[in-house]
Coordinates of all heavy atoms in Angstrom, one line a residue:
M1 N -4.6 37.0 5.5 CA -6.0 36.5 5.4 C -6.2 35.2 6.1 O -7.2 35.0 6.8 CB -6.3 36.4 3.9 CG -7.7 36.2 3.5 SD -8.7 37.6 4.0 CE -8.5 38.6 2.6
G2 N -5.2 34.3 6.0 CA -5.3 33.0 6.7 C -5.3 33.2 8.2 O -6.2 32.6 8.9
L3 N -4.4 34.1 8.7 CA -4.3 34.3 10.1 C -5.6 34.9 10.6 O -6.1 34.6 11.7 CB -3.1 35.2 10.4 CG -1.8 34.6 10.3 CD1 -0.7 35.6 10.5 CD2 -1.6 33.4 11.3
L4 N -6.2 35.8 9.8 CA -7.4 36.5 10.2 C -8.6 35.5 10.2 O -9.7 35.8 10.7 CB -7.7 37.7 9.2 CG -6.7 38.8 9.4 CD1 -7.0 39.9 8.3 CD2 -6.9 39.5 10.7
S5 N -8.4 34.4 9.6 CA -9.5 33.4 9.6 C -9.6 32.7 10.9 O -10.5 31.9 11.2 CB -9.3 32.3 8.5 OG -8.3 31.5 8.8
G6 N -8.5 32.8 11.7 CA -8.5 32.2 13.1 C -8.2 30.7 13.1 O -8.2 30.1 14.1
G7 N -7.9 30.2 11.9 CA -7.5 28.8 11.8 C -6.0 28.6 12.1 O -5.2 29.5 12.1
V8 N -5.7 27.3 12.3 CA -4.3 27.0 12.4 C -3.9 26.4 11.1 O -4.5 25.4 10.6 CB -4.1 25.9 13.5 CG1 -2.6 25.5 13.6 CG2 -4.5 26.6 14.9
P9 N -2.8 26.9 10.4 CA -2.5 26.5 9.1 C -1.8 25.1 9.1 O -1.1 24.7 10.0 CB -1.5 27.5 8.6 CG -0.9 28.1 9.8 CD -1.9 28.0 10.9
R10 N -2.0 24.4 8.0 CA -1.3 23.1 7.8 C -0.6 23.3 6.4 O -1.1 24.0 5.6 CB -2.3 22.0 7.6 CG -2.7 21.4 9.0 CD -3.6 20.2 8.8 NE -4.9 20.8 8.4 CZ -5.8 20.2 7.6 NH1 -5.4 19.1 7.0 NH2 -6.9 20.7 7.3
V11 N 0.5 22.6 6.2 CA 1.2 22.7 5.0 C 0.7 21.4 4.2 O 0.8 20.3 4.7 CB 2.7 22.7 5.1 CG1 3.4 22.6 3.8 CG2 3.1 24.0 5.8
R12 N 0.3 21.7 3.0 CA -0.2 20.6 2.1 C 0.2 20.9 0.7 O -0.2 22.0 0.2 CB -1.7 20.4 2.3 CG -2.3 19.3 1.5 CD -3.8 19.1 1.9 NE -4.4 18.2 0.9 CZ -5.7 18.0 0.9 NH1 -6.5 18.5 1.8 NH2 -6.2 17.2 -0.1
D13 N 0.9 20.1 0.1 CA 1.4 20.2 -1.3 C 2.0 21.6 -1.5 O 1.8 22.3 -2.5 CB 0.2 20.1 -2.3 CG -0.4 18.7 -2.3 OD1 0.3 17.8 -2.0 OD2 -1.6 18.6 -2.6
G14 N 2.8 22.0 -0.5 CA 3.6 23.3 -0.7 C 2.7 24.5 -0.4 O 3.2 25.6 -0.7
C15 N 1.5 24.3 0.0 CA 0.6 25.5 0.3 C 0.2 25.5 1.8 O 0.3 24.4 2.4 CB -0.7 25.4 -0.5 SG -0.4 25.4 -2.3
F16 N -0.2 26.6 2.2 CA -0.8 26.7 3.6 C -2.3 26.6 3.5 O -2.9 27.3 2.7 CB -0.4 28.1 4.2 CG 1.0 28.2 4.6 CD1 1.8 29.0 3.9 CD2 1.5 27.5 5.7 CE1 3.2 29.2 4.2 CE2 2.8 27.7 6.1 CZ 3.7 28.5 5.3
L17 N -2.8 25.6 4.2 CA -4.3 25.4 4.2 C -4.8 25.8 5.5 O -4.4 25.3 6.6 CB -4.6 23.9 3.9 CG -6.0 23.5 4.1 CD1 -7.0 24.2 3.2 CD2 -6.2 22.0 4.0
Y18 N -5.8 26.7 5.5 CA -6.6 27.0 6.7 C -8.0 26.5 6.5 O -8.6 26.8 5.5 CB -6.7 28.5 6.9 CG -5.4 29.2 7.2 CD1 -4.5 29.6 6.3 CD2 -5.1 29.6 8.6 CE1 -3.3 30.2 6.6 CE2 -3.9 30.2 8.9 CZ -3.0 30.6 7.9 OH -1.9 31.2 8.2
V19 N -8.4 25.7 7.4 CA -9.8 25.3 7.4 C -10.5 26.0 8.6 O -10.1 25.8 9.8 CB -10.0 23.8 7.6 CG1 -11.5 23.4 7.7 CG2 -9.3 23.1 6.4
S20 N -11.4 26.9 8.3 CA -12.0 27.7 9.4 C -13.4 28.1 9.1 O -13.7 28.4 7.9 CB -11.1 29.0 9.5 OG -11.7 29.9 10.5
D21 N -14.2 28.1 10.1 CA -15.6 28.5 9.9 C -15.8 29.9 10.6 O -16.9 30.2 11.0 CB -16.6 27.4 10.4 CG -16.4 27.2 11.9 OD1 -15.5 27.7 12.5 OD2 -17.1 26.3 12.4
R22 N -14.8 30.6 10.7 CA -14.9 31.9 11.4 C -13.9 32.9 10.8 O -13.1 32.5 10.0 CB -14.8 31.8 12.9 CG -13.5 31.3 13.3 CD -13.6 30.7 14.7 NE -12.4 29.9 15.0 CZ -11.3 30.3 15.8 NH1 -11.4 31.5 16.3 NH2 -10.3 29.6 16.0
G23 N -13.9 34.1 11.2 CA -12.9 35.1 10.9 C -13.3 35.8 9.5 O -14.3 35.6 8.9
L24 N -12.3 36.6 9.1 CA -12.5 37.5 7.9 C -12.7 36.7 6.7 O -13.6 36.9 5.8 CB -11.3 38.4 7.8 CG -11.4 39.4 6.6 CD1 -12.6 40.3 6.8 CD2 -10.1 40.2 6.6
A25 N -11.9 35.7 6.5 CA -11.9 34.9 5.2 C -13.3 34.2 5.2 O -13.9 34.1 4.1 CB -10.8 33.9 5.2
H26 N -13.7 33.6 6.3 CA -15.0 33.0 6.3 C -16.1 33.9 5.9 O -17.0 33.6 5.2 CB -15.3 32.3 7.7 CG -16.6 31.7 7.8 ND1 -17.0 30.6 7.1 CD2 -17.7 32.1 8.5 CE1 -18.2 30.3 7.4 NE2 -18.7 31.2 8.2
L27 N -16.0 35.1 6.5 CA -17.0 36.1 6.1 C -17.1 36.4 4.6 O -18.1 36.4 4.0 CB -16.7 37.5 6.9 CG -17.7 38.6 6.8 CD1 -19.0 38.2 7.5 CD2 -17.2 39.8 7.4
I28 N -15.9 36.5 4.0 CA -15.8 36.8 2.6 C -16.3 35.6 1.8 O -17.1 35.7 0.9 CB -14.3 37.1 2.2 CG1 -13.9 38.4 2.8 CG2 -14.2 37.1 0.7 CD1 -12.4 38.7 2.7
L29 N -15.9 34.4 2.3 CA -16.4 33.2 1.6 C -17.9 33.1 1.6 O -18.6 32.8 0.6 CB -15.8 31.9 2.3 CG -14.3 31.6 2.1 CD1 -13.9 30.5 3.0 CD2 -14.0 31.3 0.7
T30 N -18.5 33.4 2.8 CA -19.9 33.3 3.0 C -20.6 34.3 2.1 O -21.6 34.0 1.4 CB -20.3 33.4 4.5 OG1 -19.5 32.5 5.2 CG2 -21.8 33.2 4.7
L31 N -20.1 35.6 2.2 CA -20.8 36.6 1.4 C -20.7 36.4 -0.1 O -21.6 36.7 -0.8 CB -20.1 38.0 1.8 CG -20.3 38.6 3.2 CD1 -19.5 39.8 3.4 CD2 -21.8 38.9 3.3
R32 N -19.6 35.8 -0.5 CA -19.4 35.6 -2.0 C -19.9 34.3 -2.4 O -19.9 34.0 -3.6 CB -17.9 35.8 -2.3 CG -17.3 37.1 -1.9 CD -17.9 38.3 -2.5 NE -17.9 38.3 -3.9 CZ -18.4 39.1 -4.7 NH1 -19.2 40.1 -4.2 NH2 -18.3 39.1 -6.0
G33 N -20.3 33.4 -1.5 CA -20.9 32.1 -1.9 C -19.8 31.2 -2.3 O -20.0 30.2 -3.1
F34 N -18.6 31.3 -1.8 CA -17.5 30.4 -2.1 C -17.3 29.4 -1.0 O -17.6 29.7 0.1 CB -16.1 31.1 -2.3 CG -16.0 32.1 -3.4 CD1 -15.6 33.4 -3.2 CD2 -16.4 31.7 -4.7 CE1 -15.5 34.3 -4.3 CE2 -16.3 32.6 -5.8 CZ -15.8 33.9 -5.6
G35 N -16.8 28.2 -1.4 CA -16.5 27.3 -0.3 C -15.0 27.3 0.0 O -14.6 27.0 1.1
A36 N -14.2 27.8 -0.9 CA -12.8 27.9 -0.6 C -12.3 29.1 -1.5 O -12.8 29.5 -2.5 CB -12.0 26.6 -1.0
I37 N -11.2 29.7 -1.0 CA -10.6 30.8 -1.7 C -9.0 30.7 -1.6 O -8.5 30.2 -0.6 CB -11.1 32.1 -1.2 CG1 -10.8 33.3 -2.1 CG2 -10.7 32.4 0.2 CD1 -11.8 34.5 -1.9
T38 N -8.4 31.1 -2.7 CA -6.9 31.0 -2.7 C -6.3 32.4 -2.8 O -6.7 33.2 -3.6 CB -6.5 30.1 -4.0 OG1 -7.1 28.9 -3.8 CG2 -5.0 30.0 -4.1
F39 N -5.3 32.6 -2.0 CA -4.5 33.8 -2.1 C -3.1 33.4 -2.2 O -2.4 33.0 -1.2 CB -4.6 34.7 -0.8 CG -6.1 35.0 -0.4 CD1 -6.7 34.2 0.5 CD2 -6.7 36.1 -0.9 CE1 -8.0 34.4 0.9 CE2 -8.1 36.3 -0.6 CZ -8.7 35.5 0.4
G40 N -2.6 33.4 -3.4 CA -1.2 33.0 -3.6 C -1.1 31.5 -3.2 O -1.7 30.6 -3.8
H41 N -0.3 31.2 -2.2 CA -0.1 29.8 -1.8 C -0.8 29.6 -0.5 O -0.5 28.6 0.2 CB 1.4 29.5 -1.6 CG 2.1 29.4 -2.9 ND1 2.5 30.5 -3.6 CD2 2.5 28.4 -3.6 CE1 3.2 30.2 -4.7 NE2 3.1 28.9 -4.8
V42 N -1.8 30.4 -0.2 CA -2.6 30.2 1.0 C -4.0 29.9 0.5 O -4.6 30.7 -0.3 CB -2.6 31.5 1.9 CG1 -3.6 31.4 3.0 CG2 -1.2 31.8 2.3
I43 N -4.6 28.8 1.0 CA -5.9 28.4 0.7 C -6.7 28.4 2.0 O -6.3 27.8 3.0 CB -5.9 27.0 0.0 CG1 -5.1 27.1 -1.3 CG2 -7.3 26.5 -0.2 CD1 -4.7 25.8 -1.9
V44 N -7.9 29.1 1.9 CA -8.7 29.1 3.1 C -10.0 28.4 2.7 O -10.6 28.7 1.6 CB -9.0 30.6 3.6 CG1 -10.0 30.6 4.8 CG2 -7.7 31.3 3.9
S45 N -10.5 27.5 3.5 CA -11.7 26.7 3.1 C -12.6 26.7 4.4 O -12.2 26.6 5.5 CB -11.3 25.3 2.7 OG -12.4 24.6 2.4
N46 N -13.9 26.7 4.1 CA -14.9 26.6 5.1 C -14.9 25.2 5.8 O -15.1 25.1 7.0 CB -16.3 26.7 4.5 CG -16.7 28.2 4.4 OD1 -16.2 29.0 5.1 ND2 -17.7 28.5 3.5
V47 N -14.6 24.2 5.0 CA -14.6 22.8 5.4 C -13.4 22.2 4.9 O -12.7 22.7 4.0 CB -15.9 22.0 5.0 CG1 -17.1 22.6 5.7 CG2 -16.0 22.1 3.5
E48 N -13.1 21.0 5.3 CA -12.0 20.2 4.8 C -12.2 20.0 3.3 O -13.2 19.5 2.9 CB -11.9 18.9 5.5 CG -10.6 18.1 5.2 CD -9.3 18.7 5.7 OE1 -9.4 19.4 6.8 OE2 -8.3 18.5 5.1
P49 N -11.3 20.5 2.4 CA -11.5 20.4 1.0 C -11.6 18.9 0.5 O -10.7 18.1 1.0 CB -10.3 21.1 0.4 CG -9.6 21.8 1.5 CD -10.0 21.1 2.7
T50 N -12.5 18.6 -0.4 CA -12.5 17.3 -1.0 C -11.3 17.2 -2.0 O -10.7 18.3 -2.3 CB -13.8 17.1 -1.8 OG1 -13.8 18.1 -2.9 CG2 -15.0 17.2 -0.9
A51 N -11.0 16.1 -2.5 CA -9.9 15.9 -3.4 C -10.1 16.8 -4.7 O -9.2 17.4 -5.1 CB -9.8 14.4 -3.8
A52 N -11.4 16.8 -5.1 CA -11.7 17.6 -6.3 C -11.5 19.1 -6.0 O -11.0 19.9 -6.8 CB -13.1 17.4 -6.8
V53 N -12.0 19.6 -4.9 CA -11.9 21.0 -4.5 C -10.4 21.3 -4.4 O -9.9 22.4 -4.8 CB -12.6 21.3 -3.2 CG1 -12.3 22.7 -2.6 CG2 -14.1 21.2 -3.5
W54 N -9.6 20.4 -3.7 CA -8.2 20.7 -3.5 C -7.5 20.8 -4.9 O -6.7 21.8 -5.1 CB -7.6 19.6 -2.7 CG -6.1 19.9 -2.4 CD1 -5.1 19.2 -2.8 CD2 -5.7 20.9 -1.5 NE1 -3.9 19.7 -2.3 CE2 -4.2 20.8 -1.5 CE3 -6.3 21.9 -0.8 CZ2 -3.5 21.7 -0.8 CZ3 -5.5 22.8 0.0 CH2 -4.1 22.6 0.0
R55 N -7.8 19.9 -5.8 CA -7.2 20.0 -7.2 C -7.5 21.4 -7.8 O -6.7 22.0 -8.5 CB -7.6 18.9 -8.1 CG -7.0 17.5 -7.7 CD -7.2 16.5 -8.8 NE -8.6 16.2 -9.0 CZ -9.3 15.3 -8.3 NH1 -8.7 14.6 -7.4 NH2 -10.6 15.1 -8.6
H56 N -8.8 21.8 -7.7 CA -9.2 23.1 -8.2 C -8.5 24.2 -7.6 O -8.0 25.1 -8.4 CB -10.7 23.2 -7.9 CG -11.3 24.5 -8.4 ND1 -11.9 24.6 -9.7 CD2 -11.4 25.7 -7.9 CE1 -12.3 25.9 -9.8 NE2 -12.1 26.6 -8.7
E57 N -8.3 24.2 -6.3 CA -7.6 25.3 -5.7 C -6.1 25.3 -6.1 O -5.5 26.4 -6.2 CB -7.8 25.3 -4.2 CG -9.2 25.4 -3.7 CD -9.9 26.7 -4.2 OE1 -9.3 27.7 -4.4 OE2 -11.1 26.6 -4.6
L58 N -5.5 24.1 -6.2 CA -4.1 24.1 -6.6 C -4.0 24.6 -8.0 O -2.9 25.2 -8.4 CB -3.6 22.6 -6.6 CG -3.3 22.0 -5.2 CD1 -2.8 20.6 -5.3 CD2 -2.4 22.9 -4.4
R59 N -5.0 24.5 -8.8 CA -4.9 25.1 -10.2 C -4.9 26.6 -10.1 O -4.2 27.3 -10.8 CB -6.1 24.6 -11.0 CG -6.1 25.1 -12.4 CD -5.0 24.5 -13.2 NE -4.8 25.3 -14.4 CZ -3.6 25.5 -15.1 NH1 -2.6 24.9 -14.7 NH2 -3.5 26.3 -16.1
H60 N -5.7 27.2 -9.1 CA -5.6 28.6 -8.9 C -4.2 29.0 -8.4 O -3.7 30.1 -8.7 CB -6.7 29.0 -7.9 CG -8.1 29.1 -8.5 ND1 -8.3 29.6 -9.7 CD2 -9.2 28.7 -8.0 CE1 -9.6 29.5 -9.9 NE2 -10.2 28.9 -8.9
V61 N -3.6 28.2 -7.6 CA -2.2 28.5 -7.1 C -1.3 28.5 -8.3 O -0.5 29.5 -8.4 CB -1.8 27.4 -6.1 CG1 -0.3 27.6 -5.8 CG2 -2.6 27.4 -4.8
A62 N -1.4 27.6 -9.2 CA -0.6 27.6 -10.5 C -0.9 28.8 -11.3 O 0.1 29.4 -11.8 CB -0.9 26.3 -11.3
Q63 N -2.1 29.2 -11.4 CA -2.4 30.5 -12.1 C -1.7 31.7 -11.4 O -1.2 32.5 -12.1 CB -4.0 30.7 -12.1 CG -4.7 29.7 -12.9 CD -6.2 29.8 -12.7 OE1 -6.7 30.4 -11.7 NE2 -7.0 29.1 -13.5
Y64 N -1.8 31.7 -10.1 CA -1.2 32.8 -9.3 C 0.3 32.8 -9.6 O 0.9 33.9 -9.7 CB -1.5 32.6 -7.8 CG -1.0 33.8 -7.0 CD1 -1.9 34.9 -6.8 CD2 0.2 33.8 -6.5 CE1 -1.5 36.0 -6.1 CE2 0.7 34.9 -5.8 CZ -0.2 36.0 -5.5 OH 0.3 37.1 -4.8
E65 N 0.9 31.6 -9.7 CA 2.4 31.6 -10.0 C 2.7 32.2 -11.3 O 3.7 32.8 -11.5 CB 2.9 30.2 -9.9 CG 2.9 29.6 -8.4 CD 3.3 28.2 -8.4 OE1 3.2 27.5 -9.4 OE2 3.6 27.7 -7.3
R66 N 1.8 32.1 -12.3 CA 2.0 32.6 -13.6 C 1.7 34.1 -13.7 O 2.4 34.8 -14.3 CB 1.2 31.8 -14.7 CG 1.5 30.4 -14.8 CD 2.9 30.1 -15.3 NE 3.0 30.6 -16.7 CZ 2.7 29.9 -17.8 NH1 2.2 28.7 -17.7 NH2 2.9 30.4 -19.0
I67 N 0.6 34.5 -13.0 CA 0.1 35.9 -13.2 C 0.7 36.8 -12.1 O 0.8 38.0 -12.3 CB -1.5 35.9 -13.1 CG1 -2.0 35.0 -14.2 CG2 -2.0 37.3 -13.2 CD1 -3.5 34.7 -14.1
G68 N 1.0 36.2 -10.9 CA 1.5 37.0 -9.9 C 0.5 37.9 -9.2 O -0.7 37.5 -9.1
L69 N 0.9 39.1 -8.8 CA 0.0 39.9 -8.0 C -1.2 40.4 -8.8 O -2.2 41.0 -8.2 CB 0.8 41.2 -7.5 CG 1.8 40.8 -6.4 CD1 2.6 42.1 -6.0 CD2 1.1 40.3 -5.2
A70 N -1.1 40.3 -10.1 CA -2.3 40.7 -10.9 C -3.4 39.7 -10.8 O -4.5 40.0 -11.3 CB -1.9 40.8 -12.4
F71 N -3.1 38.6 -10.2 CA -4.2 37.5 -10.1 C -5.5 38.1 -9.5 O -6.5 37.9 -10.0 CB -3.7 36.3 -9.3 CG -4.7 35.2 -9.1 CD1 -4.9 34.3 -10.0 CD2 -5.5 35.2 -8.0 CE1 -5.9 33.3 -9.9 CE2 -6.5 34.3 -7.8 CZ -6.7 33.3 -8.7
L72 N -5.4 38.7 -8.3 CA -6.6 39.1 -7.6 C -7.4 40.1 -8.3 O -8.6 39.9 -8.5 CB -6.2 39.5 -6.1 CG -7.4 39.6 -5.2 CD1 -8.2 38.2 -5.1 CD2 -7.0 40.0 -3.8
P73 N -6.8 41.2 -8.7 CA -7.6 42.2 -9.5 C -8.1 41.6 -10.8 O -9.3 41.9 -11.1 CB -6.6 43.4 -9.8 CG -5.3 42.9 -9.4 CD -5.4 41.7 -8.4
L74 N -7.3 40.8 -11.5 CA -7.8 40.1 -12.7 C -9.0 39.2 -12.4 O -10.0 39.2 -13.1 CB -6.7 39.3 -13.3 CG -6.8 38.9 -14.8 CD1 -6.9 40.2 -15.7 CD2 -5.5 38.1 -15.2
Y75 N -8.8 38.4 -11.3 CA -9.9 37.5 -10.9 C -11.2 38.3 -10.6 O -12.3 37.9 -11.1 CB -9.5 36.7 -9.7 CG -10.5 35.6 -9.3 CD1 -10.4 34.4 -9.8 CD2 -11.6 36.0 -8.5 CE1 -11.4 33.4 -9.5 CE2 -12.6 35.1 -8.3 CZ -12.5 33.8 -8.8 OH -13.4 32.9 -8.5
L76 N -11.1 39.4 -9.9 CA -12.3 40.1 -9.5 C -12.9 40.8 -10.7 O -14.1 40.9 -10.8 CB -11.9 41.1 -8.4 CG -11.5 40.5 -7.1 CD1 -11.0 41.6 -6.1 CD2 -12.7 39.7 -6.4
W77 N -12.0 41.3 -11.6 CA -12.5 41.9 -12.8 C -13.3 40.9 -13.7 O -14.5 41.2 -14.1 CB -11.4 42.5 -13.6 CG -11.8 42.9 -15.0 CD1 -11.5 42.2 -16.2 CD2 -12.5 44.1 -15.4 NE1 -12.1 42.9 -17.2 CE2 -12.7 44.0 -16.8 CE3 -13.1 45.1 -14.6 CZ2 -13.4 45.0 -17.5 CZ3 -13.7 46.1 -15.3 CH2 -13.9 46.1 -16.7
F78 N -12.8 39.7 -13.9 CA -13.5 38.7 -14.6 C -14.8 38.3 -13.9 O -15.8 38.1 -14.5 CB -12.7 37.5 -14.9 CG -11.7 37.7 -16.0 CD1 -10.3 37.3 -15.8 CD2 -12.0 38.2 -17.2 CE1 -9.4 37.4 -16.9 CE2 -11.1 38.3 -18.3 CZ -9.8 37.9 -18.1
R79 N -14.7 38.2 -12.6 CA -15.9 37.8 -11.8 C -17.0 38.9 -12.0 O -18.2 38.5 -12.1 CB -15.5 37.7 -10.3 CG -16.6 37.4 -9.4 CD -17.0 36.0 -9.4 NE -18.2 35.8 -8.6 CZ -18.6 34.7 -8.0 NH1 -17.8 33.6 -8.1 NH2 -19.7 34.6 -7.4
A80 N -16.6 40.2 -12.0 CA -17.6 41.2 -12.1 C -18.2 41.3 -13.5 O -19.3 41.7 -13.7 CB -17.0 42.6 -11.7
T81 N -17.3 41.1 -14.5 CA -17.8 41.3 -15.9 C -18.3 40.0 -16.5 O -19.1 40.1 -17.5 CB -16.6 41.8 -16.8 OG1 -15.5 40.9 -16.7 CG2 -16.2 43.2 -16.2
R82 N -17.9 38.9 -16.1 CA -18.3 37.6 -16.7 C -19.0 36.6 -15.8 O -19.5 35.6 -16.3 CB -17.1 36.9 -17.3 CG -16.4 37.8 -18.4 CD -15.5 36.9 -19.2 NE -14.6 37.7 -20.1 CZ -13.8 37.2 -21.0 NH1 -13.7 35.9 -21.1 NH2 -13.1 38.0 -21.7
G83 N -19.0 36.9 -14.5 CA -19.6 36.0 -13.6 C -18.8 34.8 -13.4 O -17.6 34.7 -13.8
Y84 N -19.3 33.8 -12.7 CA -18.5 32.6 -12.4 C -18.4 31.6 -13.6 O -17.3 31.1 -13.9 CB -19.1 31.9 -11.2 CG -18.3 30.8 -10.6 CD1 -17.3 31.1 -9.7 CD2 -18.5 29.5 -11.0 CE1 -16.5 30.1 -9.2 CE2 -17.7 28.4 -10.5 CZ -16.7 28.7 -9.6 OH -15.9 27.7 -9.1
R85 N -19.5 31.4 -14.2 CA -19.6 30.3 -15.3 C -18.6 30.6 -16.4 O -18.0 29.7 -17.0 CB -21.0 30.1 -15.8 CG -21.8 29.1 -15.0 CD -23.2 29.0 -15.6 NE -23.1 28.8 -17.1 CZ -23.6 27.8 -17.7 NH1 -24.4 26.9 -17.0 NH2 -23.5 27.7 -19.0
D86 N -18.5 31.9 -16.8 CA -17.7 32.2 -18.0 C -16.4 32.9 -17.6 O -15.7 33.5 -18.4 CB -18.5 33.2 -18.9 CG -19.7 32.5 -19.5 OD1 -19.6 31.3 -19.9 OD2 -20.7 33.2 -19.7
H87 N -16.1 32.7 -16.3 CA -14.8 33.2 -15.8 C -13.6 32.4 -16.3 O -13.5 31.2 -16.1 CB -14.8 33.1 -14.3 CG -13.8 33.9 -13.5 ND1 -12.5 33.8 -13.8 CD2 -14.0 34.9 -12.6 CE1 -11.8 34.7 -13.0 NE2 -12.7 35.3 -12.3
P88 N -12.7 33.1 -17.1 CA -11.6 32.3 -17.7 C -10.8 31.6 -16.7 O -10.3 30.4 -17.0 CB -10.8 33.4 -18.4 CG -11.7 34.6 -18.6 CD -12.7 34.5 -17.4
L89 N -10.5 32.1 -15.6 CA -9.7 31.5 -14.6 C -10.4 30.3 -13.9 O -9.8 29.3 -13.6 CB -9.2 32.5 -13.5 CG -8.3 33.6 -14.0 CD1 -8.0 34.6 -12.9 CD2 -6.9 33.0 -14.5
E90 N -11.7 30.4 -13.8 CA -12.5 29.3 -13.2 C -12.6 28.2 -14.3 O -12.6 27.0 -13.9 CB -13.9 29.8 -12.8 CG -13.8 30.6 -11.5 CD -13.2 29.9 -10.3 OE1 -13.2 28.7 -10.3 OE2 -12.8 30.6 -9.4
R91 N -12.8 28.6 -15.5 CA -12.9 27.6 -16.6 C -11.6 26.8 -16.7 O -11.6 25.6 -16.9 CB -13.3 28.2 -17.9 CG -14.7 28.8 -17.9 CD -15.1 29.5 -19.2 NE -15.3 28.4 -20.2 CZ -16.5 28.3 -20.8 NH1 -17.5 29.1 -20.5 NH2 -16.7 27.4 -21.7
D92 N -10.5 27.5 -16.6 CA -9.2 26.9 -16.6 C -9.0 25.9 -15.4 O -8.3 24.9 -15.6 CB -8.1 28.0 -16.6 CG -6.7 27.4 -16.7 OD1 -6.4 26.8 -17.7 OD2 -6.0 27.5 -15.7
A93 N -9.6 26.3 -14.3 CA -9.4 25.5 -13.1 C -10.4 24.3 -13.0 O -10.2 23.4 -12.2 CB -9.5 26.3 -11.8
A94 N -11.4 24.4 -13.9 CA -12.5 23.4 -13.8 C -12.0 22.1 -14.4 O -11.2 22.0 -15.3 CB -13.7 23.8 -14.6
E95 N -12.4 21.0 -13.8 CA -12.1 19.7 -14.4 C -13.1 19.3 -15.5 O -14.2 19.8 -15.5 CB -12.2 18.6 -13.2 CG -11.1 18.9 -12.2 CD -11.1 17.8 -11.1 OE1 -12.0 17.0 -11.1 OE2 -10.1 17.8 -10.4
A96 N -12.6 18.5 -16.4 CA -13.5 18.1 -17.4 C -14.7 17.3 -16.8 O -14.5 16.5 -15.9 CB -12.8 17.1 -18.4
P97 N -15.9 17.6 -17.3 CA -17.1 16.9 -16.7 C -17.0 15.4 -17.0 O -16.5 15.0 -18.0 CB -18.3 17.6 -17.4 CG -17.7 18.3 -18.6 CD -16.3 18.6 -18.3
R98 N -17.4 14.7 -16.0 CA -17.5 13.2 -16.1 C -18.9 12.7 -15.9 O -19.6 13.3 -15.1 CB -16.6 12.6 -15.0 CG -15.1 12.9 -15.2 CD -14.3 12.2 -14.1 NE -13.0 12.9 -14.1 CZ -12.4 13.2 -12.9 NH1 -12.9 12.9 -11.8 NH2 -11.2 13.8 -13.0
L99 N -19.1 11.7 -16.6 CA -20.4 11.1 -16.5 C -20.5 10.3 -15.2 O -21.5 10.4 -14.4 CB -20.7 10.1 -17.6 CG -22.1 9.4 -17.7 CD1 -23.2 10.5 -17.8 CD2 -22.2 8.5 -18.8
L100 N -19.5 9.6 -14.8 CA -19.4 8.8 -13.6 C -18.2 9.2 -12.8 O -17.2 9.5 -13.4 CB -19.5 7.3 -13.9 CG -20.7 6.8 -14.7 CD1 -20.4 5.4 -15.2 CD2 -21.9 6.9 -13.9
R101 N -18.3 9.1 -11.5 CA -17.1 9.3 -10.7 C -16.6 8.0 -10.1 O -17.3 7.1 -9.9 CB -17.5 10.3 -9.5 CG -17.8 11.7 -10.1 CD -17.2 12.7 -9.2 NE -17.4 14.0 -9.8 CZ -16.4 14.8 -10.3 NH1 -15.1 14.4 -10.2 NH2 -16.6 15.9 -10.8
Ligands
ZN201 ZN1 -12.2 28.5 -8.5

């Protein structure tokens, strides 16, 4: 998926990061309204991830390490049945809301 994004990967925190505004992953990101997406230890992002986005995606990497290959079907199932806001994996990856940054 990363290679299909047409980007050149970088290694960051033990993960491969592709920043790309083209290719298959970009198409999926755009169609689904995501800014970044994680496949195992590969993170594809439309733009250079902010620190907060990076922490969020690393949390998905940790989830993937626990759940394994079931991560993607489970993620898509929750996405289809609960949407984004009530998605258990997204809630788990979300940072506690802060009044000030
Ligand atoms: Zn997420």
